[in-house]
Structure formats: structure tokens, C-alpha cells
Amino acid sequence: MDHSRRLRLTTLSRVLRTRVTRTAYYGLAIAIIAIAVATLANAYLQAGAASLGAIWRAQLENPTLWLLDSMPFVFLLWGQYVGLVVSTEASAMVLDETEDLRGDNAVLAAEARRSQRIDPLTGLVNRSHFVDSLEADIEAAQLSRTTVGVIVVDLDGFSEINQHYGQANGDRVLVAMARRLSHAVPAAATLARLDADRFGVTVTEPASADELERIAERIRDAIAPPCPLDGLSLQLVASAGGACYPDNAIDAYGLLDAATQAMQDVKSRGGDFSMVCSKREVRGVVMHSLSAELRRAIDEDELVLYLQPLVDVSAAKTYGAEVLVRWQHPRRGLIMPGDFIPRAERSGLMDDLTFWVLRRGIGYAARLRQGGRDLRISINVSARSLLRRDFPDNLQKLMDERGLPGTALTLELTEDTLMADQSRTLEIVERLAATGVQISIDDFGTGYSQLAYLKRLPVSEIKIDRSFVQDMLESDTDLSIVSATISLAHALKLRAVGEGVESSAQLERLRALGCDLIQGFHVGHPMPVGQFERWLRDRDTHTPVS
């Protein structure tokens, strides 16, 4: 009950109480005045004076005064009656107010429920309600042995609209696109805004790949006309992916994830529409179920470390090793990182996974140093983990626990990670470098980086992406890229690392170009810890960390 309602009811009660009290006083005053006047008048008429004795004899001898004496009781009863009537009126008024309040509360509750499931910008249902609705549709389809389809639509290049025209104009475009999509999808379909510029459509029985493709075509046609914005005509296109229950997934999250993967695949090829193919159907279902198991795998040490050697080209000695993680699943066997790391990112487990690898990798590096092998261990770190303010402190704590100096550790970061939040990344990388930890730019050449920014970073090495190394003997363009990257690294006083070396010819070419370190199957495959130690003994040589 809000303040204004309480004030109204309080005022109402006060008014009613005043009316009852006033009525009772009126009745009592009238009775007393009437008795006093009648008694005085009667005494004066009988005795010629209004003395106390005359008044008393008048009371005893005149029956009319007896009737007047009963008037206070009459007015008392009358006051009780009036009080009862007024109380009834008050109760009725309170009941009316209560009903009003209940009605208002019901409206507010309904509005609260609506706000929990409606996207405030577009008026479409939000992701949470969309998933709940999809789950209910799947349960119904299980009983009726029918199908459910999902389409995920993503507006290509929408972030540029926000950047160039501002978020307010971006919101206007989203509202316009939501309106167009509402007219493009079937009336029985559920349309939702899943996230930023991404929308979802649920299609129930009969849902087939052909029907989803027809709906996707209508969606593309609806989005295609230019969108007017302050005198401009913005041309938008969309990428869409579809998936069907039960062919592609067996629950709401799996189905939505499968459609999202299909959308991302077609987006990487330039945009259009794609259904999940048969080969990925089973994999998608299996991988989705693995997401729920990954937490247990981290806690129960089902993950294992593999190491791939890094070799100094000029000295032909082992320089170090890159730590790679695998999942030794109790039923499905060895699972590669490409199959579960994306799941860790989507399920919020990336920090836990990263620190598991750091803890085990640092522990193994300390063990190698105790055995007399001062090899540098390289560990990949995700952007999410790196950008945590406490990351340098937590890493230092892990190294202190094992007595490992920072000079024994290299953290590998992708170009995209370094470019994600430049000021924050620069701060954290500088803190790491101050401890002796070296930084390596992984997969260099596949992302977008600014040399003016990179030269400010305390980076130690650049790893040339394997795609350039593998094709450099057949492609003059790739050879030029490899050569230019090595020259750039040396100009910045950095080490150049060639990844994906699979033949002696590639090795010799990299040696001729001045590459410092190499890594690849020609040198050594990723190996479990025990096998890596045997590999080291077979080579019986290593490069001390300078």
C-alpha cells in the first residue's frame, strides 16, 4: 500500500470518528437542555419559584418529566445506532479502498512480471523468457512427437552504427528492425531480442529446415530496405542460422546454441542463412552436455597438461615448451581444447580453467628447474582472465608458492586480447613485465593491431601464425608476410617464433630468414608430461634461460 493510500484511509477514519463523536455530544446536550428547561418551567408554574425544593417536587409529581428523564437513554441508544451506521459506512469504504488496492497491486504485479520478460527497448520478449518458452515448446513436442525450430538472426556491422551515429540512433535502428521482424515472422512464432543486435525466432509444429529457410528469406527481405535515419539511408544485412529439435539438439539451450553456431558460421562466410548440418548435430548435442560436466572436470582434475617443444633455431637447442590443456573424459576419452574452451567461455568457467592451467604449468616449470632444466614455459591466457585487476597479484602468488621466478614464464596473448581494452591491457601487461614475466603475441597477423600501440607494450616475442608458415614455400605472398614479420620483430628487438613447422624445408627457410624459435610437428608434437621428459632426455640438451 503506497503512502497516498494510507493517508486517504487515515483521513477517512478520522472523519468518521469525528462524525460519531459529534452526534453523541449533540444527543446528550439536547437531552440535558430539554430536561433542565422542562423541570425549571414546571417548578416555576407550581411553586412560583425555581427553588431546589420546587424542582424536586416537580420531578416527583409530574409524569411528563419522567418521560423527559428517559430522553438521555433515548439519545444514548440513538448515538449507538448512529455509531453502528457510521461504522458500517466506514467498513464499506475501507472494503472499497482495499479492493482498489488489490486491483492496483494486481496491475503492478502483472506489470512487474511483464517487465521481467519484455525487452524495454523493442517491446519483444527477452532472452530469458524466450528460453523458457522454447523449453515449454520442446516439452510439448516431446509429448506430441513433433518438431520445434529456432532461427537466430544477427545484424551485420551494427556496431559501426553505434560507433558512427551514437547509441541513441543505434537504438532507433533496433526498434525499426524489431518492427520489421514482427511483420516478417509467422503470427504463431515467438520473436525475441536475445542480445544487442541479435534476435531469435521459435517456430513450432510443423518446423522443418525448408520452413525455417523460407522464414529466414522473409526476414532478410524485411531487413533489406534502407532504414532512414536523420536524412540518411542505412543499408543493413543480416546473417541467420537455424536448428531443429530433435535433430540438432534436445533442450532449449542446446537448440539455441546450435542455431547460434550456424549463424556464426555463415557470418564468417559473408552472411546468409545456414542450417546445422548432420555431422554437427550429434557433436552439438554432445558438446552441450559437456558444458555441465566441465565444472566437475576442473574440480576433479580430469584435465591434463600437454607440452609442445620450442626450439632455438640457431643453437638447435630446446628453449622451452608451450603448455596445452586436454580433457581426459572418463567416458568420451581425450577431448581437444577447441571442443571445450568455447564452452568454458560461454558458461563463465574461463577464469577457473585459466588458473587451473597456470597452477599446473607453474608447478611443472618449478619441477623442471629443480631437475636442472631451466626451460621457459609458455601458457595461453584469455582476455577475460588477463583483464581482471587482480590477475597479476594472483599470478605472482602462484609463482611465489612454487618458488618460480617470473623469468621462467611466458604468457601468450592473441592480438585481439591485446586490442580489447588498450589502456587497461597496457597497465596489466606492464605490471606483469615488472615481475619478469615475458609476453608473447600469439597468432600474429590474423588479428587487427596498431603498431603504434604494440611498440608501447613490454612484449618479448611475436609468434607467426601457422597458416603463413605452412604455405610460405608455395605462396610468395605468405613468404613475404613471414619475412616481413620476422624483420618487424627484430626491428622492435623481439624474438620471432615460427609456428606450425612440419618439414625440414620449412625449418631451413625460417633459419635463412633469421627466425629465432620454431614450434611444430617437425620438432615435436604436443605430448603428455612423461613423454615430454623422455623427449628431453633423448635430445639431452636444453637452453638455459638468460
Side-chain angles (χ1 to χ4, degrees), residues 309-312 315-320 368 372-375 523 532-544:
L310 281 161
V311 172
D312 187 317
K317 293 182 178 180
T318 305
Y319 176 84
L368 284 175
R373 296 187 181 274
D374 296 340
L375 302 181
V523 177
F532 178 72
E533 291 176 346
R534 289 192 295 273
W535 182 88
L536 285 175
R537 287 194 296 270
D538 291 342
R539 291 183 65 91
D540 197 28
T541 182
H542 64 281
T543 301

Side-chain angles (χ1 to χ4, degrees), residues 119 121-122 124-128 130-131 152-155 158-159 162 171 174 181 191-201 256 260 263-264 267 346:
D119 173 58
L121 177 64
T122 62
L124 303 177
V125 298
N126 59 24
R127 181 185 182 91
S128 176
F130 181 79
V131 172
V152 173
V153 182
D154 189 86
L155 301 178
F158 179 78
S159 59
N162 279 336
D171 288 348
L174 282 175
L181 291 174
L191 174 64
R193 183 190 179 199
L194 300 179
D195 182 23
D197 60 340
R198 188 168 296 177
F199 299 86
V201 182
L256 184 58
T260 301
M263 180 275 296
Q264 291 171 339
K267 193 181 188 73
R346 284 194 287 270

Side-chain angles (χ1 to χ4, degrees), residues 101-384:
L101 286 173
R102 287 176 178 171
D104 291 346
N105 288 337
V107 171
L108 290 174
E111 184 63 28
R113 289 192 298 270
R114 181 180 181 277
S115 65
Q116 291 175 355
R117 62 186 181 87
I118 298 298
D119 173 58
L121 177 64
T122 62
L124 303 177
V125 298
N126 59 24
R127 181 185 182 91
S128 176
H129 182 71
F130 181 79
V131 172
D132 291 342
S133 176
L134 179 56
E135 195 67 56
D137 290 338
I138 290 176
E139 290 177 0
Q142 289 174 339
L143 296 175
S144 60
R145 297 184 180 277
T146 54
T147 58
V148 178
V150 168
I151 299 174
V152 173
V153 182
D154 189 86
L155 301 178
D156 297 338
F158 179 78
S159 59
E160 297 177 2
I161 295 177
N162 279 336
Q163 293 173 0
H164 293 151
Y165 304 108
Q167 185 173 350
N169 284 323
D171 288 348
R172 289 169 59 190
V173 173
L174 282 175
V175 171
M177 291 301 106
R179 191 179 302 114
R180 293 185 185 185
L181 291 174
S182 298
H183 291 96
V185 303
T190 299
L191 174 64
R193 183 190 179 199
L194 300 179
D195 182 23
D197 60 340
R198 188 168 296 177
F199 299 86
V201 182
T202 298
V203 182
T204 53
E205 176 191 6
S208 65
D210 291 340
E211 183 180 0
L212 294 184
E213 188 165 0
R214 287 193 295 271
I215 295 173
E217 183 67 31
R218 291 202 297 271
I219 289 173
R220 288 198 302 274
D221 291 343
I223 292 174
C227 180
L229 181 66
D230 293 339
L232 300 174
S233 293
L234 302 181
Q235 194 74 44
L236 295 173
V237 293
S239 298
C244 282
Y245 164 86
D247 296 334
N248 306 133
I250 56 175
D251 63 15
Y253 287 102
L255 194 60
L256 184 58
D257 187 53
T260 301
Q261 290 182 35
M263 180 275 296
Q264 291 171 339
D265 286 348
V266 76
K267 193 181 188 73
S268 66
R269 298 194 299 270
D272 200 352
F273 174 76
S274 174
M275 282 292 296
V276 179
C277 64
S278 299
K279 184 177 180 180
R280 284 184 52 197
E281 291 168 3
V282 175
R283 179 179 177 275
V285 173
V286 171
M287 290 300 107
H288 178 70
S289 67
L290 289 178
S291 296
E293 301 179 59
L294 186 55
R295 171 77 271 171
R296 187 205 67 232
I298 296 172
D299 293 339
E300 298 183 7
D301 280 337
E302 289 181 6
L303 306 178
V304 292
L305 291 186
Y306 274 52
L307 296 105
Q308 187 172 25
L310 281 161
V311 172
D312 187 317
V313 176
S314 60
K317 293 182 178 180
T318 305
Y319 176 84
E322 179 181 357
V323 170
L324 304 167
V325 64
R326 305 285 189 266
W327 183 355
Q328 189 62 54
H329 196 280
R331 298 188 308 277
R332 299 188 174 102
L334 194 67
I335 301 176
M336 303 304 286
D339 288 331
F340 65 85
I341 286 181
R343 302 283 163 175
E345 292 173 341
R346 284 194 287 270
S347 57
L349 293 174
M350 201 61 211
D351 284 345
D352 295 327
L353 178 60
T354 296
F355 276 93
W356 187 96
V357 176
L358 284 169
R359 187 178 298 107
R360 297 300 187 277
I362 289 171
Y364 184 65
R367 174 175 144 187
L368 284 175
R369 291 176 70 85
Q370 291 170 0
R373 296 187 181 274
D374 296 340
L375 302 181
R376 187 181 295 277
I377 295 298
S378 299
I379 301 177
N380 292 277
V381 176
S382 68
R384 177 187 177 91

